[in-house]
Amino acid sequence: MSWIDIGSIDDVPLRGARKLKTRLGCVAVFRTDTEEVFAASNTCPHKGGPLAEGIVHGQSVTCPLHNWVFDLNTGQAQGEDGQIATYPVRVDAGRILIDGTALAARSAA
Amino acid sequence: MGKERLVVIGAGMASGRVLEHLTEAAPDAFDITLFNAEPRGNYNRIMLSPVLAGDQTYADIVTHDEGWYAERSIATRFGEKVLEIDREAKVVVGENGHVPYDKLIFGTGSNPFMIPLPGHDLEGVIAYRDLEDTECMMDLKAGQKCVVIGGGLLGLEAAAGMAARGVDVTVVHIMGHLMERQLDEAAGYLLRKSLEDKGITIKLQANSKEIVGEDGKVCALMLDDGTELPCELLVMAVGIRPNVALAQAAGLAVGNGIHVDDQMCTSDADVFAVGECVEHQGAIFGLVAPLYDQAKVLAQSLLGEEAAFVQKSLSTKLKVTGCDLFSAGDFADGEGREDIVFRDPSRGVYKRLVIEENRLVGAVMYGDTADGSWYFGLIRDGTDIEEMRETLIFGPAYQGGDTADPLSAVAALPLDAEICGCNGVCKGTVVEAIEGGAGDLGAVRATTKASASCGTCTGLVEQLLQVTLGDDFEMPTAQPVCGCTDHTHEDVRRLIKTMPLKSQEAVWQELGWSTRNGCHVCRPAINFYLLADWPLDYQDDPQSRFINERKHANIQKDGTFSVVPRMWGGITNPTELRAIADAADKYKVPTVKVTGGQRIDLLGVKGEDLPAIWADLNKAGLVSGHAYSKGLRTVKTCVGTDHCRFGTQDSTGLGIKLEQALWGSWTPHKVKLGVSGCPRNCAEATCKDVGIICVDSGYQVGVAGAAGMDVKETERLIDVATEAEAIDVTVAFVQLYRENAKYLDRPYKWVAKVGLDWVKERINDLDERARLIEAFELSQSIYRKDPWAEHAAEKAERYQPLADLTLEAAE
Ligand SMILES: Cc1cc2nc3c(=O)[nH]c(=O)nc-3n(C[C@H](O)[C@H](O)[C@H](O)COP(=O)(O)OP(=O)(O)OC[C@H]3O[C@@H](n4cnc5c(N)ncnc54)[C@H](O)[C@@H]3O)c2cc1C
Ligand code: SF4
Ligand code: FES
């Protein structure tokens, strides 16, 4: 693993998300009501909705286009046949760190 | 042979039920006279608490109205007390004369017990028993003080009801925890905590010494330790005593209550008694379930059928919103008894089951009482629980490896499981009724009485309908908001106002949300209800809005946005047009389109560019057109008198004024207006949420039109003479919609639900109209602002990516 500092946790709204640009497309970084942080693909497998713009509730996010709901732990869509990739991310002294190795490994998948 | 003469003393819940059974089974058997000391007929006494809390009105709880008695030829003597009974001559002596009888029923209920403290006869010292008492409490205004002596079921319902009205309530209870007869300490603690959260002060182990008065009126309660609790009303709710004086004077056998046998017959073969006034095998009664059993037995006995009253164990619920509490059986500690306890402090849930020799003997539950009736059934039937001991605490859904689905839990209940505690109706009876054709809640209530009293079992009955009828049963319109709660939109709106709740956390906590922080369905709705009801206290939560409202632009299918500047009443000018054209150039807007509401739409703007394009448009004086919002969108206009040869009024001018009055307000759904200068209707005003047609004599205001998924013409709300009045009426209508509609109901759907007549009534009532306008203005003082300016200045950086890793070396 190679942890990359992508910003302060306060930069992501509580129960909200921000986009992270990478060479392989955007990743969404989510922050829940209890300060947990998750990272997952920003692109909804249904019709490509930008998940960073969705409503974050519990440990889930709802896609802003047609309301698919994804579990941020597993990336699995609730009641739908679809999944988004998730990436290891952690918070250290208020900074959000994401696993660069996992991000880079995406193209292989 | 003439009919037998039956006289009934007391129009209470027990005797009322006797009359129902009798007149149904044998409408012509008796000539009935009914006396009642209260100046009214039968009502559902147990629902006085919801009336007090403002959740229902007295009219809602009347069970038998004038018409009911008339149809059954029952002679009613309401407001007339029975003074004496001459059993020798078989006559009942009332205040206004006597009535002879062949058969007599006592249904005199009980008297509230008043502790004979010094001062107990002062004015302003009342019990909690009837409508008069309830009205006394309802007369208290917010901020006035009340002391309730007694922390039992009644005292707490009284306290909670008054607190919901803003009264400053203190409960004084002599024991160490509340409702000590029904609850253990842990549940008592949770109950206390949630009552304190409602603003009620609770004093435990407090001994009352004296009621202090001034000019014959109560002014404080003094405790043993010298504490003085000032109050303008003192409610004593410390217990009841069967009302036996009349029976005693008539020489009937009386102990604590009027002695009756299994047929409800007293020591006189022609005199019967039913309800709280009786004593049966040493027991007296204070809850309706056994009284209803008695009533049935009595009716059968009178008709010569064989029947016998049997005492059963009882369960208790507290009818205080937000305090879910259930208790049944015996839960005292004891030799050979074991406890199973479950706690979930974060949800405020507590359950305790008491087991003796593999049988459940008691259950106390707080916070989650859904399985109460199932446990109660196990207690009552003495079921052997050895097999399910491990999972017993998780309720019926977990027995037999089922999931926690409420429907399968109901399906798993045995046929003799009690569904409705008040009326003692079991599952089998309800299922039979449904199979016999009772296809909805109303029909089940009418045929079985299940859910017809306190209503806490309504959900269970509905689930039974669903289990029994399957797809043929459509859950009634009272759908819960979403999977996070069982409450309907209507309930949530009402509770936000009455409890009052002023934050989302309070709503989740107090209304028992099952999820951590809601979901995309309930959060936007709750957010709207809170800001509509408490504009000064509640701060809008952008994270509870969908992306369109959070970013003040419409998201398009490719993730880009569309930006629409406001053009008041559809009017613009070259400077504005130039600014729009410049912005379109600068930000490479691929499509520029005129919308159906006469505004210009810039389609295909990148999310990152939003703050910048807004800043540019703002500079030219353009503000957000809210084309994304559940709020006022546009006011479409025609050219009116300024240019058109048919125009009767300045329709464009009125449109501009309306848009300037209403913009920025959040509403349950989007709102669109139109103003046409004459009935030619070039602005297509007759398919808008509010559409105004100008005519020579003034303005015709129509509402509830639609041109979306449904197409519908407006209905005429009112005709007014002046422009000012047209604006007033429109604002009042929008506010009425804001205050009452369910989130995501367009005005036409809402009007269809409440009825245009109701809306007309409110708008035509000038006081109400003024109140609505004032409430709207108050809300606008907070919410009428340009979100673009705010975001472009303060939140621009949130629109950028958190970080850009495109330049990082991939490893
Ligand atoms: C506020 C409140 C809340 C309650 N909540 C619940 C609850 O949630 N669950 C539950 O199971 N129970 C509840 N109860 C108890 C329940 O209401 C009673 O058990 C039930 O009403 C008793 O019925 P009854 O017919 O015996 O007497 P009542 O309903 O009290 O009727 C007796 C009637 O007789 C009249 N009367 C008395 N003497 C005379 C006379 N000499 N001449 C003429 N008329 C006379 C009285 O005016 C009265 O109207 C509650 C009670 C109250 C007061
Ligand atoms: S609605 Fe009447 S006033 Fe308005 S433009 Fe059309 S014809 Fe003219
Ligand atoms: S694109 Fe996400 S739900 Fe359709």
Side-chain angles (χ1 to χ4, degrees):
Chain A
M1 286 195 179
S2 65
W3 295 106
I4 306 176
D5 183 327
I6 51 172
S8 157
I9 182 159
D10 296 328
D11 293 339
V12 183
L14 203 62
R15 288 193 266 105
R18 291 281 294 276
K19 227 161 53 171
L20 175 67
K21 271 194 168 170
T22 80
R23 270 195 283 196
L24 297 162
C26 284
V27 167
V29 179
F30 303 91
R31 174 179 173 198
T32 72
D33 61 322
T34 51
E35 309 285 342
E36 302 149 315
V37 172
F38 294 94
S41 159
N42 187 42
T43 312
C44 176
H46 177 219
K47 292 198 169 168
L51 296 174
E53 318 280 25
I55 287 187
V56 178
H57 48 100
Q59 298 186 329
S60 306
V61 64
T62 299
C63 176
L65 292 196
H66 315 96
N67 296 336
W68 280 27
V69 178
F70 297 90
D71 181 334
L72 294 173
N73 289 293
T74 60
Q76 182 60 46
Q78 208 176 78
E80 304 282 354
D81 185 19
Q83 193 169 21
I84 48 174
T86 57
Y87 305 103
V89 59
R90 65 186 173 97
V91 181
D92 191 3
R95 305 295 301 178
I96 305 175
L97 306 174
I98 193 162
D99 180 9
T101 318
L103 282 184
R106 271 193 297 172
S107 52
Chain B
M1 199 181 87
K3 278 199 246 176
E4 276 206 292
R5 290 164 301 185
L6 174 68
V7 174
V8 182
I9 311 174
M13 297 188 68
S15 65
R17 187 52 64 92
V18 175
L19 291 179
E20 278 176 30
H21 287 308
L22 267 188
T23 53
E24 203 171 294
D28 299 317
F30 294 99
D31 232 340
I32 306 173
T33 305
L34 175 61
F35 281 92
N36 199 23
E38 286 184 66
R40 58 185 70 85
N42 226 303
Y43 60 95
N44 194 340
R45 194 178 300 284
I46 72 180
M47 296 309 268
L48 285 174
S49 300
V51 169
L52 173 61
D55 295 343
Q56 300 215 352
T57 63
Y58 172 67
D60 295 332
I61 70 167
V62 171
T63 51
H64 303 158
D65 56 17
E66 304 280 323
W68 191 89
Y69 297 111
E71 274 163 36
R72 287 158 186 79
S73 313
I74 296 174
T76 55
R77 301 183 59 154
F78 296 151
E80 180 175 357
K81 213 173 151 176
V82 171
L83 304 173
E84 205 189 315
I85 290 149
D86 184 342
R87 288 201 287 135
E88 203 98 323
K90 288 196 153 187
V91 289
V92 167
V93 184
E95 286 167 323
N96 305 327
H98 66 269
V99 180
Y101 70 82
D102 298 310
K103 294 271 188 289
L104 177 65
I105 298 177
F106 274 89
T108 48
S110 48
N111 291 321
F113 177 58
M114 302 298 274
I115 314 172
L117 291 174
H120 70 274
D121 44 8
L122 287 166
E123 191 190 328
V125 178
I126 61 167
Y128 186 19
R129 182 73 199 169
D130 54 24
L131 184 64
E132 277 71 24
D133 296 331
T134 311
E135 281 172 344
C136 269
M137 291 187 253
M138 290 167 70
D139 282 343
L140 286 180
K141 310 229 162 11
Q144 283 191 293
K145 289 189 165 54
C146 178
V147 168
V148 177
I149 303 184
L153 200 89
L154 272 195
L156 296 181
E157 287 186 4
M162 286 186 283
R165 299 179 168 270
V167 175
D168 181 350
V169 186
T170 303
V171 174
V172 173
H173 191 50
I174 194 162
M175 305 301 288
H177 69 269
L178 296 173
M179 288 182 69
E180 76 285 348
R181 280 193 301 162
Q182 294 90 3
L183 297 184
D184 58 16
E185 282 181 335
Y189 162 78
L190 284 171
L191 174 60
R192 169 181 182 171
K193 209 171 95 184
S194 58
L195 291 170
E196 284 175 341
D197 286 346
K198 293 182 196 303
I200 300 170
T201 309
I202 303 216
K203 291 202 170 296
L204 297 175
Q205 285 172 319
N207 222 334
S208 307
K209 187 170 171 205
E210 184 184 339
I211 302 173
V212 189
E214 210 177 68
D215 305 329
K217 218 183 153 316
V218 62
C219 68
L221 174 72
M222 180 140 71
L223 303 181
D224 251 1
D225 62 4
T227 319
E228 254 194 52
L229 303 168
C231 61
E232 279 135 285
L233 188 74
L234 187 136
V235 181
M236 248 195 238
V238 292
I240 51 170
R241 296 232 164 124
N243 183 359
V244 297
L246 190 63
Q248 205 155 26
L252 293 171
V254 166
N256 281 323
I258 305 170
H259 281 298
V260 292
D261 61 15
D262 291 353
Q263 282 67 46
M264 310 314 294
C265 185
T266 67
S267 55
D268 176 332
D270 290 323
V271 180
F272 299 80
V274 67
E276 283 186 348
C277 59
V278 309
E279 178 180 334
H280 175 259
Q281 292 177 2
I284 57 174
F285 307 85
L287 291 171
V288 290
L291 310 190
Y292 283 173
D293 284 348
Q294 294 176 356
K296 194 162 180 188
V297 169
L298 173 50
Q300 287 171 318
S301 308
L302 281 173
L303 295 172
E305 292 165 23
E306 231 167 85
F309 172 62
V310 190
Q311 291 179 29
K312 296 187 199 147
S313 49
L314 291 176
S315 66
T316 313
K317 284 179 192 151
L318 182 70
K319 301 185 299 299
V320 172
T321 317
C323 298
D324 253 345
L325 176 161
F326 177 89
S327 145
D330 181 358
F331 47 84
D333 287 328
E335 189 100 2
R337 287 194 169 176
E338 289 167 83
D339 280 343
I340 302 178
V341 175
F342 172 87
R343 264 180 224 278
D344 184 347
S346 63
R347 285 196 300 144
V349 169
Y350 168 82
K351 301 183 190 182
R352 175 160 161 242
L353 303 178
V354 183
I355 294 173
E356 194 171 45
E357 290 172 3
N358 286 328
R359 319 234 171 249
L360 187 63
V361 295
V364 188
M365 310 164 73
Y366 189 89
D368 173 7
T369 55
D371 298 332
S373 61
W374 183 69
Y375 289 122
F376 182 48
L378 296 180
I379 296 174
R380 208 193 38 210
D381 304 340
T383 312
D384 187 331
I385 50 99
E386 187 168 8
E387 300 269 279
M388 48 182 163
R389 197 182 168 108
E390 304 268 281
T391 52
L392 191 62
I393 195 83
F394 301 116
Y398 284 84
Q399 313 312 324
D402 248 337
T403 55
D405 167 16
L407 278 184
S408 51
V410 169
L413 287 177
L415 282 179
D416 60 352
E418 184 172 80
I419 298 294
C420 171
C422 292
N423 293 297
V425 186
C426 65
K427 175 176 162 181
T429 312
V430 176
V431 170
E432 208 174 287
I434 298 170
E435 285 168 350
D440 59 26
L441 188 62
V444 172
R445 279 185 183 154
T447 40
T448 68
K449 292 263 165 8
S451 129
S453 292
C454 84
T456 36
C457 62
T458 302
L460 274 178
V461 173
E462 281 173 354
Q463 285 165 358
L464 275 178
L465 278 159
Q466 212 172 19
V467 167
T468 316
L469 298 177
D471 289 345
D472 290 342
F473 176 68
E474 210 178 303
M475 269 303 217
T477 44
Q479 286 281 7
V481 175
C482 63
C484 304
T485 178
D486 293 334
H487 288 290
T488 60
H489 280 271
E490 291 73 14
D491 283 344
V492 172
R493 282 220 84 160
R494 180 171 51 76
L495 294 169
I496 283 176
K497 280 176 221 169
T498 54
M499 285 183 68
L501 306 174
K502 300 187 178 180
S503 69
Q504 300 217 38
E505 289 81 359
V507 172
W508 301 330
Q509 190 58 42
E510 297 298 336
L511 305 187
W513 245 237
S514 62
T515 48
R516 208 161 91 184
N517 43 41
C519 70
H520 64 274
V521 179
C522 57
R523 280 241 303 275
I526 306 301
N527 188 51
F528 169 73
Y529 295 151
L530 287 167
L531 71 82
D533 285 336
W534 309 108
L536 301 186
D537 302 323
Y538 176 74
Q539 197 169 3
D540 183 40
D541 172 28
Q543 296 305 336
S544 296
R545 295 189 173 280
F546 264 102
I547 182 64
N548 283 352
E549 294 188 345
R550 196 162 355 109
K551 295 212 161 159
H552 308 293
N554 271 342
I555 195 163
Q556 306 298 335
K557 66 178 207 178
D558 60 355
T560 63
F561 291 85
S562 89
V563 166
V564 182
R566 206 169 270 292
M567 292 198 284
W568 309 98
I571 288 284
T572 183
N573 58 42
T575 317
E576 287 181 356
L577 288 172
R578 222 168 268 127
I580 293 173
D582 287 345
D585 272 345
K586 183 164 166 191
Y587 300 97
K588 305 200 169 48
V589 170
T591 310
V592 180
K593 172 162 195 328
V594 173
T595 70
Q598 301 176 330
R599 306 293 182 268
I600 292 177
D601 195 356
L602 301 170
L603 288 144
V605 180
K606 286 209 268 317
E608 285 96 304
D609 288 341
L610 286 172
I613 190 171
W614 294 335
D616 286 3
L617 292 168
N618 275 164
K619 257 183 245 150
L622 290 157
V623 299
S624 166
H626 289 90
Y628 46 80
S629 72
K630 313 276 177 267
L632 177 82
R633 299 267 176 107
T634 55
V635 183
K636 189 170 180 173
T637 57
C638 72
V639 294
T641 39
D642 267 4
H643 303 279
C644 177
R645 64 200 158 108
F646 300 111
T648 63
Q649 311 278 0
D650 178 13
S651 52
T652 318
L654 175 55
I656 294 174
K657 285 180 195 148
L658 282 170
E659 188 162 347
Q660 288 179 339
L662 296 169
W663 80 289
S665 61
W666 299 104
T667 43
H669 207 306
K670 63 185 167 190
V671 171
K672 295 178 174 178
L673 272 60
V675 186
S676 287
C678 81
R680 284 171 187 75
N681 193 17
C682 294
E684 292 157 356
T686 50
C687 59
K688 295 287 187 279
D689 297 303
V690 181
I692 299 180
I693 305 289
C694 304
V695 289
D696 281 326
S697 58
Y699 304 81
Q700 303 173 336
V701 183
V703 295
M709 300 238 255
D710 296 312
V711 180
K712 177 176 169 294
E713 196 182 338
T714 50
E715 298 169 68
R716 187 77 60 81
L717 178 65
I718 193 171
D719 289 354
V720 293
T722 66
E723 190 180 79
E725 216 181 333
I727 296 173
D728 274 4
V729 165
T730 306
V731 169
F733 173 79
V734 170
Q735 178 64 11
L736 194 62
Y737 168 58
R738 282 166 41 95
E739 287 181 6
N740 290 285
K742 171 177 145 185
Y743 191 67
L744 296 189
D745 267 355
R746 290 284 300 265
Y748 74 98
K749 288 212 170 141
W750 165 67
V751 170
K753 276 182 198 164
V754 298
L756 185 66
D757 287 342
W758 181 81
V759 176
K760 275 187 183 162
E761 228 169 79
R762 308 300 296 262
I763 302 290
N764 279 318
D765 174 343
L766 293 183
D767 290 339
E768 174 68 354
R769 190 191 294 178
R771 184 195 68 74
L772 288 166
I773 295 171
E774 196 184 323
F776 184 77
E777 279 308 319
L778 178 78
S779 176
Q780 286 292 72
S781 68
I782 308 285
Y783 290 108
R784 181 158 42 199
K785 59 186 173 201
D786 177 28
W788 286 358
E790 216 184 7
H791 277 231
E794 293 159 20
K795 299 187 180 152
E797 144 266 335
R798 286 269 155 104
Y799 287 77
Q800 306 310 317
L802 177 62
D804 186 350
L805 299 184
T806 49
L807 305 173
E808 296 274 320
E811 277 161 79

